[in-house]
Amino acid sequence: MYDVLILGGGAAGFYAAIHIAEADPKLKVAIMERGKEVLGKVKVSGGGRCNVTHAEFDPRELVKYYPRGEKELLGPFHTYCSGDTVAFFEERGISLKIEEDGRMFPTSNSSQTIIDCLVSETERLGVKVFRNSSVTGFAKLKDAAQDANESWQVQTIRGNYSAKKLLVCTGSNPKIWGILQKLGHSIVPPVPSLFTFNIKDDRITGIAGVSTPARINIVPRKSHLDKFQAALKKHGLQLSDLETGGALLITHWGMSGPGILRLSAWGALFLSELDYRFSIRVNWLPAYHEGGVLKQLQQIKEVEGKKTVLRTKCFALPKRLWNSLVKASGITEADKWADIKKSQLQNLARELTACQFQVNGKSTFKEEFVTAGGIDLKEINFKTYESKRIPNLYFAGEIINVDAITGGFNFQNAWTGAYIAAQGIAESINA
Ligand SMILES: Cc1cc2nc3c(=O)[nH]c(=O)nc-3n(C[C@H](O)[C@H](O)[C@H](O)COP(=O)(O)OP(=O)(O)OC[C@H]3O[C@@H](n4cnc5c(N)ncnc54)[C@H](O)[C@@H]3O)c2cc1C
């Protein structure tokens, strides 16, 4: 009989085990992990460097990076935020560095540093870790109505275990979600988040690698207007929610970069409903609107009449992109500004500020995928991460319906949830 069984030896499971054992060293705590190795995702995270958290230390700002969980995480982040994560690792001799974009990594640049720290802490604190122990089921040992001190029984491929408290940290495992559903929890259907857009279009063919700041909007295709409107309504979204700014990277298969990834995360459910077939409108000159650009082009035409359009540098745009947009406006390589018709100038202004592309499908971003969906947030008490439906059952990490954009925020959700669940469990056992 354990005091606490933790299902899943990932980031959330290990972090919770350490904090439970620290809160009360007398408690018998064990982790059940299906794999031969623990902390498998930590190992591969951040390209092997582990983007542990993000240098955003204000809870009100931090929540803005979570398309699902923004409202619910505000309280938890006031209790345990990114600064606490940094302190946890620093107290254990692991310094973290901040990169220019705010991402934080161990200064060793190796995820193994984080793994070694978490594993050695569980060893020091006497937490038992069962590897190769896939959990196949769990249930209350006695009927809640008959026994207030009921405990949990957990079935694994290696045998059965029992515990007073159960903390489920199995990430995005559909089988565990299925078990929880049978126990009475609602699961928001999982869909991918953080993906890049597949686009086949002459305007971006052959210019992979170009990166430039842009404003991007998701817009309906004329042929799918009804479906688009219905999906917007279903997810309570406005068109303005599907707009973002940021660097846009042209790739061999379409578009990527922070702006596109942000849209993929915020629009994850909505875009899945559209089967990833929609259009985007790109403003390559986010400081301008179409009318303003047209005026500028007319002035350039007057002043630079003898120059070829292609060779004139008039906006801060990568040259390969400028060439491509000029050609798409019906202007040839030899055309001089003086030869350009009004309609061609209008085309060019539109290509520069309202350039429409059809998206047909998605691709995984650098193998870093995150799943939107999971345990319905309405069914979790965020003061303790205990289930509101089933007493003595707790959750932390990716298993709940929280996900974030790339940058260390997904791990922060795991650290925060694990810490608070650990305090909730230790307090309730000792109550
Ligand atoms: C390639 C990649 C790179 C990433 N890089 C980053 C990054 O740099 N920064 C960041 O913030 N986020 C990153 N993420 C996201 C981040 O890894 C997850 O959000 C985080 O690992 C979630 O932690 P977790 O403990 O909830 O789940 P997981 O880390 O998925 O851990 C769940 C554990 O439960 C175990 N398990 C599942 N089912 C069972 C079962 N039935 N019985 C027993 N054990 C079971 C699994 O084997 C696993 O060890 C990355 C994701 C991927 C895929």
Side-chain angles (χ1 to χ4, degrees):
M1 171 65 120
Y2 282 88
D3 290 302
V4 190
L5 271 182
I6 297 172
L7 313 188
F14 267 78
Y15 211 67
I18 293 164
H19 283 101
I20 294 168
E22 285 209 319
D24 185 347
K26 291 188 299 300
L27 297 180
K28 246 181 113 186
V29 183
I31 298 174
M32 319 298 306
E33 166 57 43
R34 72 176 164 191
K36 200 168 92 196
E37 304 291 341
V38 294
L39 297 158
K41 266 205 204 169
V42 172
K43 177 91 185 153
V44 297
S45 67
R49 295 200 298 144
C50 187
N51 179 193
V52 180
T53 187
H54 200 92
E56 175 51 77
F57 305 109
D58 177 351
R60 280 161 308 177
E61 292 303 314
L62 188 60
V63 290
K64 291 184 185 161
Y65 295 91
Y66 294 82
R68 281 141 298 269
E70 181 173 3
K71 184 166 75 82
E72 293 79 1
L73 287 176
L74 187 60
F77 282 157
H78 271 106
T79 303
Y80 199 87
C81 206
S82 26
D84 299 297
T85 307
V86 176
F88 171 88
F89 285 108
E90 289 197 338
E91 279 158 19
R92 286 155 184 83
I94 291 161
S95 61
L96 302 179
K97 59 172 173 179
I98 305 176
E99 302 222 320
E100 244 174 52
D101 55 6
R103 291 181 302 158
M104 297 192 74
F105 294 88
T107 41
S108 66
N109 270 332
S110 167
S111 56
Q112 194 60 42
T113 310
I114 302 298
I115 296 176
D116 292 346
C117 168
L118 296 174
V119 170
S120 68
E121 279 297 90
T122 49
E123 284 169 2
R124 178 180 71 83
L125 292 159
V127 173
K128 186 104 185 99
V129 181
F130 293 98
R131 292 170 171 83
N132 295 311
S133 298
S134 187
V135 173
T136 52
F138 46 89
K140 285 275 174 86
L141 214 50
K142 284 188 185 160
D143 187 345
Q146 291 166 14
D147 184 359
N149 297 319
E150 78 224 13
S151 54
W152 285 98
Q153 185 161 67
V154 175
Q155 292 101 45
T156 77
I157 53 166
R158 298 193 149 214
N160 296 347
Y161 300 81
S162 50
K164 293 179 193 155
K165 308 269 176 191
L166 202 60
L167 170 57
V168 191
C169 304
T170 42
S172 305
N173 179 344
K175 283 199 184 134
I176 301 290
W177 278 328
I179 296 171
L180 288 166
Q181 215 162 11
K182 283 199 189 117
L183 290 175
H185 266 289
S186 318
I187 307 298
V188 177
V191 296
S193 181
L194 283 188
F195 46 85
T196 63
F197 295 173
N198 293 354
I199 299 169
K200 264 199 160 45
D201 191 293
D202 286 347
R203 289 168 295 181
I204 56 168
T205 304
I207 61 167
V210 162
S211 171
T212 186
R215 185 112 218 118
I216 316 153
N217 289 66
I218 291 176
V219 290
R221 284 193 197 164
K222 280 197 186 99
S223 53
H224 290 63
L225 205 54
D226 290 348
K227 200 173 175 185
F228 191 94
Q229 297 293 0
L232 272 185
K233 200 167 162 201
K234 180 172 168 190
H235 295 285
L237 292 170
Q238 314 271 335
L239 265 180
S240 56
D241 296 325
L242 301 171
E243 177 182 350
T244 188
L248 189 158
L249 171 70
I250 296 172
T251 65
H252 289 289
W253 60 92
M255 290 182 188
S256 180
I260 296 287
L261 291 169
R262 205 170 303 131
L263 274 182
S264 81
W266 286 96
L269 272 64
F270 173 74
L271 298 178
S272 127
E273 190 131 344
L274 297 180
D275 282 331
Y276 307 102
R277 282 168 215 290
F278 52 95
S279 293
I280 54 168
R281 193 172 57 230
V282 179
N283 183 345
W284 302 105
L285 301 171
Y288 298 87
H289 54 76
E290 195 174 329
V293 167
L294 184 60
K295 253 193 206 153
Q296 286 219 30
L297 291 174
Q298 278 157 345
Q299 282 165 4
I300 296 167
K301 179 177 154 74
E302 278 164 31
V303 180
E304 308 276 15
K306 286 186 188 148
K307 275 195 184 163
T308 55
V309 178
L310 220 54
R311 269 182 225 116
T312 316
K313 176 136 185 74
C314 28
F315 296 100
L317 270 185
K319 194 169 175 343
R320 288 193 292 160
L321 179 63
W322 168 253
N323 289 355
S324 168
L325 297 177
V326 166
K327 284 181 194 156
S329 313
I331 299 169
T332 67
E333 222 162 299
D335 281 341
K336 299 199 166 65
W337 284 100
D339 311 326
I340 302 298
K341 294 196 282 278
K342 192 175 169 200
S343 62
Q344 287 172 308
L345 278 193
Q346 282 166 338
N347 288 347
L348 184 53
R350 199 171 318 114
E351 289 294 332
L352 287 165
T353 56
C355 196
Q356 203 134 328
F357 295 92
Q358 297 220 340
V359 179
N360 284 306
K362 59 173 174 53
S363 295
T364 308
F365 165 66
K366 282 196 206 159
E367 291 170 25
E368 182 177 330
F369 48 87
V370 169
T371 309
I375 298 166
D376 195 327
L377 303 183
K378 290 198 285 296
E379 300 176 359
I380 299 166
N381 172 359
F382 280 92
K383 292 206 167 75
T384 55
Y385 279 69
E386 188 175 14
S387 158
K388 284 186 185 168
R389 294 251 155 121
I390 306 159
N392 299 327
L393 178 63
Y394 296 75
F395 308 109
E398 205 175 296
I399 188 170
I400 69 174
N401 183 23
V402 165
D403 64 276
I405 62 166
T406 178
F409 307 102
N410 284 301
F411 275 138
Q412 189 55 50
N413 167 52
W415 313 132
T416 295
Y419 174 85
I420 296 177
Q423 306 311 311
I425 288 170
E427 275 168 31
S428 115
I429 286 187
N430 290 318

